[in-house]
Each structure stands twice: as C-alpha cells, then as structure tokens.
Amino acid sequence: MALENRVSSDSGAINWFFQRITGLVLLFLLLIHFWIMHYSGGEENILFDAVVKRLADPKFKVIDLSFLVLGLYHGLNGIWMVVQDYIKSPAWKTTIFSLLSFVGLILVVLGFVAVLPISPDWVNIP
Amino acid sequence: MRYKWRTGMWAWVLHRVTGLGITLFILEHIYTVSHLQQGRESFDNLMKLFGAPIFKLGELALFAIIIYHSLNGVRVFLIDFFGGASYHKSVFWVLVVIGIIIFLAGAYPFVSPLLAG
C-alpha cells in the first residue's frame, strides 16, 4: 500500500485515515439504524417481537454487527488518539494500548454472543 | 500543550468529549441487546423502563451528542480532504443550524409518546 511506503508504521497516519473512513461508513449505518429503529415504525418497533424478528434475519445480523465492530474500532481508536496526545511514556502507552485492544475484543465477543444466536423461534417462547 | 480557545478549538474538544460519551453508550447498548436472550418479559420490561421521563431525557441528550459528533465529523472530513481549512468556521455555524433543525425534527418521535401520556 502506497500509504505505508511514505509514512512510518507508528506515525499514526494509518489510524488517522481509518478513523475518517470508518466515520463515514458509520454515518451511513447510523442513518439506516435510526430510520429502521426509531422512525419507520411505531413504538412497538423496539419491543421484543419486532427486534427478534429483525435480528433473526441474517441481513440485519450483518448490518448490526458491522455497526458494532466499526463503532467500537472508531470509538476505541479515538480514545487511543486522545491518549497519545497526553501520555508520553512508552510503557504507559503500551499498557493502555493493550487494555483498549482487550476491551474491544471482549465487547465484540459479547456483542456477537448476544446477536448471533437470535432465531425466529424466540418469538414463540413465552 | 497550550490551547487557543477559538471556534475550531471548541469544536475539536467537544468532538473528543462527545466521542467518548458515545463509546461508553455502546456498552449500555450491548447490555440492553443481551437481554433478548432472557425472553420477552425481561427485554420489554427494560424497554418500559427506558420509556420513563428520566431516560427519555437521556435519550434526547444522546441524540444531540450524536448529531453534534456526526456533523462535526463531516466538517473534519471537509477540512482534511476538501480544502475546508479555509472555510471551517462558516461551515461550523452552518452545521450548527442544520444540527438544531435535525434535533427538533428528530426529537419529536421520541417525545410524542410521553406527551400523549
């Protein structure tokens, strides 16, 4: 990739670039999310039956989990950028980077565990 | 670090603060969605709780925070990729107006069930 030839890997240029690209994609996912969840339907659109029916559809699983992964990347990368502005000690930076990566991984796993198993049968369980 | 408190500086600080807030909200959102596994009653009770005025107020605050972060993100995009550094201040105020319009139009569906009792 041309970008990598011009900048050193820890200059932050790649983080900077991905932050803008993920931000743009997130804006579109946000619009879809808001339209479907809060505007296109009534109040019952965020209740159990409607949510399960939606999330049982693989298409929505892909959209929502992409939203989660990109959102977490963008959010945690944002925190990482703030940290780099204030923390200068390499040891602390490494510690915080590992912590943020770990938190991100755990949250992605929790999100997948919550969303992937959802099936249409769930609406029949009392 | 020394700060110059002008429009761009405020916009930048607010972008970071709202970004942190939205990231923390993802935690709450994962918690909410994971309630689906516990069945209809558990999930719908949580939704009923979020219908309470205090949570509606929080929802409106979150809505405003997300609008700010999204629109200022568009401004950052213009500055970084479309030579927007020369006109970033006017863009800021145009986006403030657009943001207020989106907030008022978008807040209505959130508040209307509350107003209806």
Side-chain angles (χ1 to χ4, degrees):
Chain A
M1 195 173 151
L3 198 65
E4 277 165 330
N5 296 332
R6 277 187 278 117
V7 298
S8 81
S9 62
D10 62 349
S11 76
I14 290 160
N15 278 355
W16 172 90
F17 185 67
F18 281 167
Q19 195 69 351
R20 270 126 195 92
I21 298 305
T22 51
L24 193 65
V25 178
L26 282 166
L27 183 56
F28 287 105
L29 289 170
L30 178 77
L31 290 172
I32 296 172
H33 176 84
F34 260 73
W35 175 254
I36 292 172
M37 300 303 290
H38 302 295
Y39 294 102
S40 65
E43 269 287 278
E44 67 284 346
N45 218 18
I46 53 166
L47 292 180
F48 184 82
D49 288 341
V51 176
V52 165
K53 257 180 223 153
R54 223 172 12 240
L55 279 176
D57 181 345
K59 190 168 71 237
F60 276 105
K61 283 197 168 89
V62 171
I63 293 176
D64 280 30
L65 290 173
S66 309
F67 199 23
L68 174 74
V69 172
L70 288 172
L72 280 172
Y73 170 79
H74 188 88
L76 293 171
N77 192 38
I79 294 175
W80 175 233
M81 286 168 150
V82 175
V83 165
Q84 284 172 303
D85 277 350
Y86 296 97
I87 311 261
K88 295 298 170 196
S89 138
W92 270 110
K93 275 210 236 181
T94 309
T95 310
I96 295 172
F97 185 83
S98 316
L99 198 71
L100 289 173
S101 310
F102 181 69
V103 167
L105 195 70
I106 296 287
L107 291 178
V108 166
V109 169
L110 286 177
F112 272 68
V113 166
V115 168
L116 278 184
I118 296 174
S119 92
D121 309 334
W122 286 22
V123 290
N124 302 321
I125 301 165
Chain B
M1 237 188 300
R2 296 188 63 225
Y3 295 150
K4 285 185 182 169
W5 291 102
R6 298 189 190 136
T7 317
M9 187 71 211
W10 281 110
W12 177 78
V13 168
L14 268 179
H15 200 75
R16 292 191 150 186
V17 173
T18 51
L20 185 65
I22 296 164
T23 306
L24 288 175
F25 170 71
I26 300 178
L27 284 172
E28 191 281 328
H29 209 338
I30 294 173
Y31 172 79
T32 303
V33 173
S34 65
H35 268 72
L36 286 170
Q37 246 135 7
Q38 283 149 44
R40 185 178 287 110
E41 205 186 328
S42 163
F43 186 78
D44 284 353
N45 277 343
L46 200 62
M47 286 300 127
K48 211 153 116 197
L49 175 71
F50 292 156
I54 180 81
F55 283 103
K56 282 281 164 190
L57 212 64
E59 227 169 35
L60 284 177
L62 179 70
F63 189 47
I65 285 171
I66 287 174
I67 291 172
Y68 176 82
H69 196 85
S70 304
L71 292 180
N72 193 58
V74 170
R75 184 177 149 273
V76 168
F77 218 83
L78 291 176
I79 291 172
D80 289 347
F81 297 122
F82 296 96
S86 53
Y87 54 86
H88 78 92
K89 244 183 238 179
S90 28
V91 169
F92 181 81
W93 293 109
V94 169
L95 290 178
V96 165
V97 174
I98 294 175
I100 290 171
I101 293 169
I102 296 176
F103 179 79
L104 293 177
Y108 183 73
F110 284 97
V111 203
S112 56
L114 211 64
L115 298 178

